[in-house]
Structures are given as structure tokens and as C-alpha cells.
């Protein structure tokens, strides 16, 4: 009888532990950031990659700038509706490390149109967005 009680208690403890999982301090950001900070980071990164594509003399130099951009985007806390997009964008940047010039020929992922419209309206107001067309291109 006592072993059944111990087994039941252990089962209960395991169920509670499983239900509480995923709240580690080291887990990914939950998306509490704001559009302005997110756009600022995207625009700065795009400008740096563009500059590297124009002035770098080796693929490794371009890759170093792309890696820095990916690291920034991995650490940023995106707005809630950009969390999944940010993961896709980081994956795009990481894939470009194998062929750094692919950022010219391979289009980046884009968030859903409603989110893109919101960001596109804000782009011209962000001083770091020198050419505010990243999120607005192709929108009607």
C-alpha cells in the first residue's frame, strides 16, 4: 500500500514539474519589445550589411558583418507579433554566412502584411532607417 502511495506522489510531482517547465531564465525573449527599437536594430544592421557589400574586399569581411547583425537580432526583444518572424530572419542571416553575397539574391523572410504595414508606416520616422523601404517593398 505504501509503495502505491509513493508512486502516486512521484507521478503527481512529475506532472507538476512538466506543467511548470519552460520558464527558465535563459529561455528566449517572449516578445515584449517595441516597434521603434526593433526597426532601429533592423535598419542599422541592413545599413552595415549594405556598406560591407559595397566596400568589403572578401566574403569573410561581409560574413563578419552579417554575423554581427545576426547576433544583434538573436539578442533583441522583438514586439510580440514579431517573435516568430525574428527567428526566421535570424535563420536567414545565419544561412547567408555560408555565402555572404546571397543576401543580394535571396529575399529575406517578411512578417505578415498587417505587421509589415505597421512597420512600413513607422520606418520613415526612424533616423537610422536611411532608406525606409525594407518592410514596405511589395506592399500595395
Amino acid at each position: 500500500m505504501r509503495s502505491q502511495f509513493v508512486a502516486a506522489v512521484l507521478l503527481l510531482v512529475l506532472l507538476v514539474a512538466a506543467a511548470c517547465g519552460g520558464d527558465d531564465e535563459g529561455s528566449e525573449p517572449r516578445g515584449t519589445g517595441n516597434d521603434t527599437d526593433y526597426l532601429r536594430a533592423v535598419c542599422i544592421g541592413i545599413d552595415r550589411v549594405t556598406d560591407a557589400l559595397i566596400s568589403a574586399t572578401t566574403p569573410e569581411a561581409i560574413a563578419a558583418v552579417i554575423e554581427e547583425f545576426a547576433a544583434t537580432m538573436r539578442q533583441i526583444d522583438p514586439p510580440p507579433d514579431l517573435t516568430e518572424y525574428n527567428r526566421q530572419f535570424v535563420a536567414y542571416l545565419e544561412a547567408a554566412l555560408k555565402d555572404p553575397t546571397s543576401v543580394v539574391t535571396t529575399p529575406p523572410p517578411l512578417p505578415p502584411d498587417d505587421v509589415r504595414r505597421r512597420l512600413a508606416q513607422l520606418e520613415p520616422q526612424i533616423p537610422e532607417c536611411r532608406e525606409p523601404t525594407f518592410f514596405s517593398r511589395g506592399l500595395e
Side-chain angles (χ1 to χ4, degrees), residues 55-129:
S55 63
T57 57
T58 65
E60 293 80 16
I62 298 168
V65 175
I66 293 171
E67 173 53 42
E68 181 182 319
F69 189 15
T72 297
M73 299 311 293
R74 271 197 266 350
Q75 294 174 2
I76 199 161
D77 184 19
D81 57 355
L82 285 168
T83 302
E84 180 56 32
Y85 165 74
N86 193 63
R87 284 189 194 106
Q88 293 170 4
F89 189 63
V90 168
Y92 165 82
L93 293 171
E94 289 171 342
L97 294 173
K98 295 176 191 121
D99 176 13
T101 59
S102 68
V103 295
V104 175
T105 59
T106 305
L110 292 169
D113 285 353
D114 59 330
V115 177
R116 286 179 59 203
R117 281 187 182 82
R118 185 183 78 226
L119 295 173
Q121 288 177 347
L122 187 58
E123 274 179 313
Q125 300 168 31
I126 307 295
E128 291 82 1
C129 295

Side-chain angles (χ1 to χ4, degrees), residues 13-70:
V13 168
L14 287 174
L15 289 173
V16 170
C20 294
D23 289 339
D24 298 323
E25 287 180 27
S27 59
E28 292 198 25
R30 298 188 186 279
T32 59
N34 64 64
D35 288 350
T36 300
D37 291 341
Y38 190 79
L39 271 173
R40 187 173 287 121
V42 169
C43 289
I44 289 170
I46 289 171
D47 280 351
R48 288 180 179 160
V49 170
T50 301
D51 291 347
L53 287 167
I54 293 169
S55 63
T57 57
T58 65
E60 293 80 16
I62 298 168
V65 175
I66 293 171
E67 173 53 42
E68 181 182 319
F69 189 15

